[in-house]
Amino acid sequence: MARPAPLPLPIDQVPASIRRFCDPAAPGPARAMAARGAVPVKGFDQVMLLLQLSADADEVLAKTARESLEKLPENVLHPAAEGALVASFLDRLGELFRERDDVLERLAANPALDVGTLEWIAQRCSERVSERIAVNEQRLLSAPRVIEALYRNKNTRMSTADRLVELSARNGVVLDLPTFEAHVAAIQGQLIPEPSEEPLPSDVDFATALIEDADDPEAVSAPEDADEAEEDQVKEQFLPLMMRIRQMTSSEKLRLAMVGNAAARAFLVRDKNRTVAYATISSPSMQEAEVLPIVRSKEIGEEIIRYIGNKREWTKSHEVKHALVFNVKTPVGMALRFLPHLRDNELKTLSRSRNVAQPLKSAALQKIAAKEKKDRGDR
């Protein structure tokens, strides 16, 4: 969703009350005074003037105007954030004060704020601001992309995400989220909490799971040749996260699959609930670096293996193709498709493996024999 035209606005679109102070054709000293807030304009006009100059082509002037904005008292800044200003000015105000919840809250509640700006705020705002956005149900229903942005924002409470999904489904609004239909099904018949001042205990647990991260996605899975004792040791390292995930509801797992980190996805993709596992492997957050330890795991279901094997971006990797061929849960037809990509020593290992289907072993032996025959003929 496009945001309003960026500042600076063409001078003929600037309010007449401040035009002479920010006109690029005006004398430099006069414009410098305006950037310092030393001209006779007050209230909304003062804020708009400084916002316009904060985007000026003259970097020194723009920096001075931004510094003057930061020094404005709340009794000037807050009414401007709530006022019926031109959408471009409100957008710039949100951008410059993106770390100020007191400003963003007022912008979010301002009906003059462009919906593109509201979506931009919803994508990155704090929990406090997301709660303020989430209570304006009428506006949200008219702008589903804002709901989607809140859902994807890690700072949005889990209970709020449930409430927004339920609100959308109840009003016939289909969200563009991979997990939407599954999330709707997961909360059917549940009591959806009303907005509250403080987060619920389940919100705190969900937020904690989001920060229990791993530096390396491969650290969550044991290497291909690890024995069961080593794999258990790896899991023990992430036991707190694993236990939190086991205690989650299906809707919490579905959202965690989208907004969680690599460590969370490494556990979720092994979930016994096939919907959760599939939502995880197909999540837009899933990175290529996470795929190899997943496909090497003995705990992955065939549906997940099929998804990986049909994902061209991931099967460009030789390591992924190798892991698919050696995974006992890979369908034979799919494994045979990747067999020609194996190296000679890998084919020999495959032909002796006790953990793969006989057709694969036979195909490997045939390729080895064909290669040896060709080598004899070349001599």
Side-chain angles (χ1 to χ4, degrees):
M1 191 175 294
R3 290 163 63 186
L7 297 183
L9 293 178
I11 196 61
D12 61 344
Q13 295 179 23
V14 173
S17 56
I18 62 170
R19 195 172 298 166
R20 65 191 179 98
F21 298 111
C22 55
D23 190 338
R31 279 160 45 81
M33 286 181 63
R36 294 196 301 271
V39 292
V41 292
K42 302 294 181 184
F44 288 5
D45 285 345
Q46 183 182 22
V47 176
M48 287 190 294
L49 172 61
L50 292 175
L51 288 170
Q52 176 76 355
L53 292 174
S54 75
D56 197 89
D58 183 330
E59 282 297 328
V60 175
L61 187 76
K63 183 174 182 291
T64 302
R66 290 194 292 270
E67 291 172 349
S68 297
L69 277 165
E70 291 171 1
K71 296 174 184 175
L72 287 178
E74 290 182 354
N75 62 358
V76 174
L77 201 56
H78 287 177
E82 296 168 338
L85 305 186
V86 173
S88 294
F89 286 115
L90 293 174
D91 184 83
R92 179 67 171 171
L93 193 62
E95 187 173 312
L96 292 178
F97 290 89
R98 66 181 72 189
E99 304 299 328
R100 289 272 301 270
D101 282 359
D102 60 321
V103 175
L104 294 182
E105 276 189 299
R106 288 166 170 80
L107 285 171
N110 189 341
L113 187 75
D114 185 88
V115 71
T117 306
L118 185 60
E119 180 188 352
W120 179 83
I121 292 173
Q123 288 170 350
R124 53 185 51 76
C125 65
S126 67
E127 177 187 303
R128 171 180 160 185
V129 178
S130 71
E131 286 299 297
R132 181 64 188 85
I133 297 172
V135 297
N136 193 344
E137 295 184 352
Q138 185 175 356
R139 187 165 200 191
L140 290 175
L141 289 172
S142 67
R145 288 184 58 170
V146 177
I147 303 178
E148 295 160 11
L150 287 175
Y151 189 96
R152 292 186 172 100
N153 184 338
K154 294 182 179 183
N155 296 321
T156 299
R157 295 177 189 172
M158 185 61 223
S159 60
T160 301
D162 278 342
R163 192 168 66 252
L164 293 176
V165 168
E166 190 277 334
L167 172 72
S168 302
R170 176 162 37 90
N171 287 275
V173 174
V174 178
L175 301 179
D176 186 16
L177 297 169
T179 56
F180 177 65
E181 291 184 6
H183 197 134
V184 171
I187 60 175
Q188 285 288 341
Q190 288 187 14
L191 181 63
I192 306 299
E194 293 294 321
S196 58
E197 287 293 324
E198 297 297 326
L200 303 175
S202 57
D203 292 327
V204 176
D205 288 343
F206 187 85
T208 302
L210 284 174
I211 61 174
E212 287 175 337
D213 205 348
D215 294 331
D216 181 357
E218 293 200 21
V220 190
S221 268
E224 184 179 17
D225 56 352
D227 58 27
E228 291 184 9
E230 287 179 272
E231 191 165 357
D232 288 342
Q233 188 176 6
V234 171
K235 288 181 180 178
E236 186 176 345
Q237 180 184 354
F238 297 97
L239 187 60
L241 174 60
M242 184 167 64
M243 294 304 295
R244 288 186 190 280
I245 290 174
R246 283 179 177 172
Q247 294 167 6
M248 285 182 176
T249 64
S250 293
S251 64
E252 289 171 336
K253 290 179 180 180
L254 287 166
R255 182 163 178 248
L256 188 63
M258 181 176 293
V259 303
N261 50 50
R265 288 191 293 275
F267 291 117
L268 289 167
V269 79
R270 294 162 169 78
D271 200 271
K272 293 179 181 179
N273 184 325
R274 294 173 61 189
T275 302
V276 171
Y278 191 80
T280 305
I281 196 63
S282 59
S283 169
S285 302
M286 180 64 69
Q287 301 296 312
E288 186 175 343
E290 301 171 53
V291 174
L292 184 57
I294 290 173
V295 79
R296 283 174 172 171
S297 173
K298 299 173 183 176
E299 302 173 359
I300 298 300
E302 183 178 322
E303 187 177 21
I304 305 304
I305 294 294
R306 284 183 182 276
Y307 185 92
I308 294 172
N310 287 319
K311 190 87 169 176
R312 288 187 178 181
E313 301 95 303
W314 296 343
T315 54
K316 289 177 183 177
S317 161
H318 178 82
E319 288 77 12
V320 170
K321 288 192 281 261
H322 175 277
L324 283 167
V325 172
F326 277 83
N327 192 317
V328 67
K329 292 184 181 177
T330 303
V332 173
M334 177 175 284
L336 287 170
R337 200 170 84 226
F338 296 120
L339 197 66
H341 298 276
L342 295 191
R343 302 180 179 111
D344 291 350
N345 62 320
E346 294 167 342
L347 286 170
K348 289 177 182 178
T349 302
L350 182 67
S351 69
R352 296 191 295 266
S353 176
R354 297 179 179 179
N355 299 320
V356 297
Q358 186 59 45
L360 274 178
K361 296 171 70 172
S362 299
L365 286 169
Q366 289 174 10
K367 285 192 170 295
I368 292 168
K371 177 72 165 53
E372 290 175 346
K373 182 178 180 180
K374 182 178 182 299
D375 289 344
R376 288 195 298 270
D378 289 342
R379 291 193 191 113

